[in-house]
Amino acid sequence: MWYISTRGISPRVDFEGALFSGYAPDGGLFMPEELPCLDRKTLHAWSTLSYKGLVKELCALFIGPELIPRDDLNDLIDHAFSRFRHKEVVHLSRLRDGLNVLELWHGVTYAFKDLSLSCTAQFLQYFLEKREKHVTVVVGTSGDTGSAAIESVQGAKNVDIIVLLPKGHCSRIQELQMTTVLKDNVHVFAVEGNSDELDEPIKAVFADVPFAKEHNLMSLNSINWSRILVQMAHHFFAYFQCAASLDTHTLPTVEVVVPTGAAGNVAAGCIAQKMGLPIRLVVAVNRNDIIHRAVQQGDFSLSEAVTPTLASAMDIQVPYNMERIFWLLSGSNSQATRALMEQFEKTQRLTLPKELHSKHCPLLPGTCVCSEVP
């Protein structure tokens, strides 16, 4: 499995190369060069798997045994989930009238990002020990990413982690989770500005390719492909738990509502759709509604300011994973994606071309949710 940049200029890399990168050198995000298509037989076989089993199958597809042999991969994933409080790792709670809630909060920091980061950290350690390397992880956070990333690598001898948190914009619990870790490899800094503003210098650092290589820099934000890969399992697990039957002539469709900030879970769902999973995605945002406006009106433009809400981890105006979605919906057109994103970065305003906006139907433009959180 090879990975290419959404902007089409950087050389392709394998999973290890994508894992150890932040942004691609050309400023884009890594995506699989080809997506596997899952037939009905495979979906039937996967429908009986546990959440851990689904993560193992998906990771085996996108990593390959030449990089991590299957037995090693299974052990890494088992170890990643060994500290989760629920025996099933995630759990589906069935409410009334066909409404279900997928519980993704059983990790150490209570954030859903514990799921993907625990696995990503295991993959990271596997390659670092094999290559006898050291890396420095740079993470910007709007709340839960920072604490989950710290938890996943704290105490590791071959990893240093630098976390930038927006001063006064994280919840008190999240801030304490980050600032009270006393391991020598953890370095946390409170910075002025919101999470979007602190992403700008991080992206500039990765754009300086010689500097990033010299200091072995990488990111554990959801710009990292490994994060998206593991989050795909959420959608497969939810589908198999909710679908009435897979024995019908046409596989039933399940509607999945995804609260989102940087659109990592949404990107994971779109990739699952492309692979053949019959889900419909409803994007739930707070007052920072750039994704809502993009889906409804084709308006991918910044508002005047980030609005603080109770859902501080979703207080994002630059959902960088939308670049992956634009690339998918444009038919993997790197040139078009690069032009769109360069215009957005230059002007902070973008009107999606009609042909691209019309393809946002997988995100249910007519029923997108915009919750008003005070």
Side-chain angles (χ1 to χ4, degrees), residues 316-329:
I316 293 173
Q317 283 281 358
V318 185
Y320 39 77
N321 277 293
M322 288 299 288
E323 180 167 345
R324 285 185 162 112
I325 295 172
F326 295 157
W327 183 84
L328 282 171
L329 297 180

Side-chain angles (χ1 to χ4, degrees), residues 198-238:
L198 65 85
D199 279 339
E200 293 177 11
I202 292 176
K203 186 165 188 176
V205 166
F206 283 107
D208 187 343
V209 177
F211 180 86
K213 286 185 176 180
E214 178 185 354
H215 296 280
N216 290 330
L217 301 183
M218 63 169 292
S219 176
L220 287 179
N221 283 90
S222 60
I223 59 175
N224 194 302
W225 163 252
S226 178
R227 292 273 309 275
I228 306 301
L229 168 57
V230 177
Q231 287 172 191
M232 288 165 57
H234 308 347
H235 298 276
F236 280 91
F237 185 76

Side-chain angles (χ1 to χ4, degrees), residues 75-77 79-80 117-127:
D75 290 343
L76 292 173
I77 293 170
H79 190 266
L117 280 165
S118 61
C119 292
T120 298
Q122 289 298 308
F123 303 151
L124 184 63
Q125 290 291 341
Y126 179 86
F127 289 118

